[in-house]
């Protein structure tokens, strides 16, 4: 990165110098003046031709340099297992802000494929346009939540599981699009479920990249506690530090585990159960994939918090509503 930056700065400096020199020669030609530096007094056309030749030579050198560096960079990048991040999202005032924050974290993660699934009967213009400009490798899907499973405006967030259909739709796409073809080697990759309102350290993505079956780690600010985490003894997960129903098969948050793509593809029936009791959604997916003894502790034996279950405060729109009643509301064509 540093070498590439130095190369770019050097190129900008040389190009700037050449353009400035060409500009000076052109100005002298326009004024009908001659340079009185007699030892460098070349005919104007020869001077311009020489400068153009130097510029072309520098450009060729840059192309050759990029050609020798790019294959090495691509080879290093492609050798990494891809992290497939499935993110359910739904229309609300803070949706674009949440997706912006999340996408700008993902831009720093190499070999990441973002699967964004809208809770909608169709792809919305806001998310479509946002993803096109994100700079990320992505897949845009949509599926609406069934009416009887949808939270109402004043319902508490824990009343019904959210994002069930959307996560399952992301899994369906993976099983269809990444299904091994005859003659192909095994699929290398990791599947992670990242909600759009959580906060992620870049380190958590490097921790999960080596997942063989199911990897686990702590999650901060969740379940009414400072953190929940798997408790590790002798390199194995033996129980969970949680404040609510620790007897659940896998009492952890959605942000606290990743699954190998190979395991997902090998178990086509593994999915999230929308009818699971409160707090059992994660268990409904994991119970058919792994046992507690097979869990792979990450984040320094689950001793470091690298992801936080943050939630954005719902904006209060009282003044906006009052202005709208007077016909003075904000311009509805401005996307927020």
């Amino acid at each position: 990165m540093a070498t590439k930056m130095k190369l770019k700065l050097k190129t900008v400096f040389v190009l700037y110098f050449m353009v400035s020199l060409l500009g000076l020669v052109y100005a002298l030609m326009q004024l009908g003046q001659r340079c009185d530096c007699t030892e460098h007094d070349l005919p104007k056309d020869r001077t311009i031709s020489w400068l153009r030749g130097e510029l072309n030579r520098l450009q060729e050198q840059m192309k050759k340099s990029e050609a020798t560096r790019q294959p090495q960079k691509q080879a290093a990048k492609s050798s990494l297992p891809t992290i497939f991040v499935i993110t359910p999202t739904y229309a609300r005032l803070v949706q674009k802000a949440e997706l912006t924050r999340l996408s700008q974290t993902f831009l720093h993660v190499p070999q990441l494929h973002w699967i964004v699934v809208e809770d909608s009967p169709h792809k919305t213009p806001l998310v479509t346009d946002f993803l096109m400009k994100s700079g990320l490798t992505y897949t845009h899907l949509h599926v609406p939540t069934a009416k009887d499973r949808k939270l109402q405006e004043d319902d508490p967030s824990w009343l019904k599981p959210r994002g069930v259909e959307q996560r399952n739709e992301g899994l369906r796409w993976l099983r269809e699009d990444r299904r091994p073809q005859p003659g192909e080697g095994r699929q290398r990759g990791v599947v992670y479920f990242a909600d759009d309102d959580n906060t992620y350290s870049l380190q958590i993505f490097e921790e999960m990249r080596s997942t063989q079956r199911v990897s686990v780690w702590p999650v901060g600010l969740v379940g009414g506690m400072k953190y929940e985490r798997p408790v590790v003894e002798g390199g194995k997960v033996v129980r969970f530090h949680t404040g609510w129903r620790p007897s659940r098969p896998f009492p952890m948050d959605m942000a606290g585990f990743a699954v190998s793509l190979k395991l997902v593809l090998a178990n086509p029936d593994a999915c999230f159960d929308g009818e699971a009791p409160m707090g059992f959604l994660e268990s409904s997916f994991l119970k058919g994939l792994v046992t507690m003894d097979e869990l792979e502790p990450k984040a320094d034996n689950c001793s470091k918090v690298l992801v936080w279950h943050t939630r954005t405060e719902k904006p209060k729109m009282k003044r906006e509503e009052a202005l709208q009643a007077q016909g003075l509301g904000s311009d509805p064509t401005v996307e927020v």
Side-chain angles (χ1 to χ4, degrees), residues 98-135:
E98 302 279 33
L99 292 174
T100 297
R101 177 167 53 86
L102 188 55
S103 69
Q104 292 182 5
T105 296
F106 291 164
L107 281 169
H108 295 281
V109 183
Q111 204 68 5
L112 182 144
H113 187 129
W114 195 15
I115 303 171
V116 179
V117 191
E118 290 194 72
D119 183 352
S120 170
H122 53 78
K123 296 177 182 179
T124 64
L126 185 150
V127 177
T128 299
D129 186 60
F130 173 83
L131 289 172
M132 288 178 62
K133 297 175 181 176
S134 69

Side-chain angles (χ1 to χ4, degrees), residues 8 30 41 66 68 72 75 93 103 149 155-156 160-161 166 168 211 229 274 279 302 329:
K8 286 185 177 180
Q30 292 294 327
D41 191 15
E66 285 295 319
T68 57
Q72 295 175 0
L93 274 175
S103 69
R149 292 184 183 173
D155 287 344
K160 297 176 183 178
Q166 291 72 41
N168 286 338
T211 301
R229 73 180 181 100
C302 296

Side-chain angles (χ1 to χ4, degrees), residues 149-166:
R149 292 184 183 173
K150 206 171 185 69
L151 283 172
Q152 301 305 309
E153 184 71 21
D154 297 324
D155 287 344
S157 60
W158 49 261
L159 186 61
K160 297 176 183 178
R162 291 190 299 182
V164 174
E165 285 90 340
Q166 291 72 41

Side-chain angles (χ1 to χ4, degrees), residues 22 66 87 113 131 155 172 198 301 324:
L22 282 169
E66 285 295 319
T87 298
H113 187 129
L131 289 172
D155 287 344
R172 182 203 61 77
N198 288 350
N301 274 332
Q324 285 179 354

Side-chain angles (χ1 to χ4, degrees), residues 16-37 44 47-48 51:
Y16 176 78
F17 174 79
M18 290 299 179
V19 172
S20 300
L21 194 55
L22 282 169
L24 177 60
V25 172
Y26 178 76
L28 290 173
M29 290 171 63
Q30 292 294 327
L31 292 171
Q33 298 178 5
R34 291 177 60 84
C35 176
D36 60 359
C37 303
K44 296 170 188 173
T47 303
I48 293 173
L51 288 171

Side-chain angles (χ1 to χ4, degrees), residues 4-291:
K4 189 173 180 181
M5 184 63 72
K6 288 180 182 177
L7 188 60
K8 286 185 177 180
L9 290 174
K10 182 178 178 182
T11 305
V12 170
F13 176 76
V14 171
L15 290 174
Y16 176 78
F17 174 79
M18 290 299 179
V19 172
S20 300
L21 194 55
L22 282 169
L24 177 60
V25 172
Y26 178 76
L28 290 173
M29 290 171 63
Q30 292 294 327
L31 292 171
Q33 298 178 5
R34 291 177 60 84
C35 176
D36 60 359
C37 303
T38 54
E39 62 177 333
H40 299 294
D41 191 15
L42 299 172
K44 296 170 188 173
D45 56 344
R46 288 181 60 193
T47 303
I48 293 173
S49 178
W50 177 78
L51 288 171
R52 285 175 177 166
E54 286 297 297
L55 190 58
N56 289 334
R57 184 177 64 82
L58 287 168
Q59 288 175 337
E60 286 300 318
Q61 286 182 349
M62 279 292 299
K63 288 179 182 177
K64 289 179 181 178
S65 176
E66 285 295 319
T68 57
R69 291 171 184 275
Q70 192 69 15
Q72 295 175 0
K73 181 181 177 182
Q74 291 296 333
K77 182 179 178 181
S78 62
S79 67
L80 292 172
T82 300
I83 298 175
F84 295 94
V85 179
I86 297 176
T87 298
T89 188
Y90 64 100
R92 60 202 191 278
L93 274 175
V94 298
Q95 183 182 31
K96 188 176 181 181
E98 302 279 33
L99 292 174
T100 297
R101 177 167 53 86
L102 188 55
S103 69
Q104 292 182 5
T105 296
F106 291 164
L107 281 169
H108 295 281
V109 183
Q111 204 68 5
L112 182 144
H113 187 129
W114 195 15
I115 303 171
V116 179
V117 191
E118 290 194 72
D119 183 352
S120 170
H122 53 78
K123 296 177 182 179
T124 64
L126 185 150
V127 177
T128 299
D129 186 60
F130 173 83
L131 289 172
M132 288 178 62
K133 297 175 181 176
S134 69
L136 290 161
T137 300
Y138 69 88
T139 294
H140 185 189
L141 306 172
H142 66 92
V143 61
T145 298
K147 287 186 178 180
D148 59 329
R149 292 184 183 173
K150 206 171 185 69
L151 283 172
Q152 301 305 309
E153 184 71 21
D154 297 324
D155 287 344
S157 60
W158 49 261
L159 186 61
K160 297 176 183 178
R162 291 190 299 182
V164 174
E165 285 90 340
Q166 291 72 41
R167 294 186 187 96
N168 286 338
E169 176 67 7
L171 290 169
R172 182 203 61 77
W173 181 86
L174 278 172
R175 286 166 177 145
E176 288 188 4
D177 190 79
R178 301 292 153 160
R179 184 171 46 205
Q181 300 301 316
E184 286 186 349
R186 69 184 185 89
Q187 294 288 317
R188 298 176 68 242
V190 181
V191 182
Y192 184 51
F193 302 95
D195 291 349
D196 61 7
D197 55 354
N198 288 350
T199 304
Y200 306 88
S201 165
L202 295 179
Q203 186 181 341
I204 196 61
F205 298 100
E206 297 315 309
E207 293 277 341
M208 73 175 69
R209 204 182 289 275
S210 61
T211 301
Q212 299 301 306
R213 290 182 66 82
V214 177
S215 57
V216 293
W217 48 80
V219 177
L221 310 178
V222 65
M225 300 179 64
K226 289 174 65 177
Y227 63 84
E228 291 182 342
R229 73 180 181 100
V231 177
V232 179
E233 295 178 1
K236 294 285 187 180
V237 176
V238 294
R239 61 183 181 279
F240 291 86
H241 173 69
T242 180
W244 187 76
R245 297 192 67 172
S247 60
R248 288 174 287 162
F250 296 96
M252 52 186 176
D253 187 73
M254 194 72 66
F257 66 90
V259 184
S260 75
L261 177 61
K262 181 182 177 182
L263 191 62
V264 168
L265 298 179
N267 293 270
D269 295 328
C271 63
F272 293 95
D273 181 5
E275 302 298 328
M278 184 178 68
F280 282 76
L281 186 62
E282 294 82 357
S283 297
S284 72
F285 174 64
L286 291 173
K287 65 183 181 182
L289 297 176
V290 71
T291 64

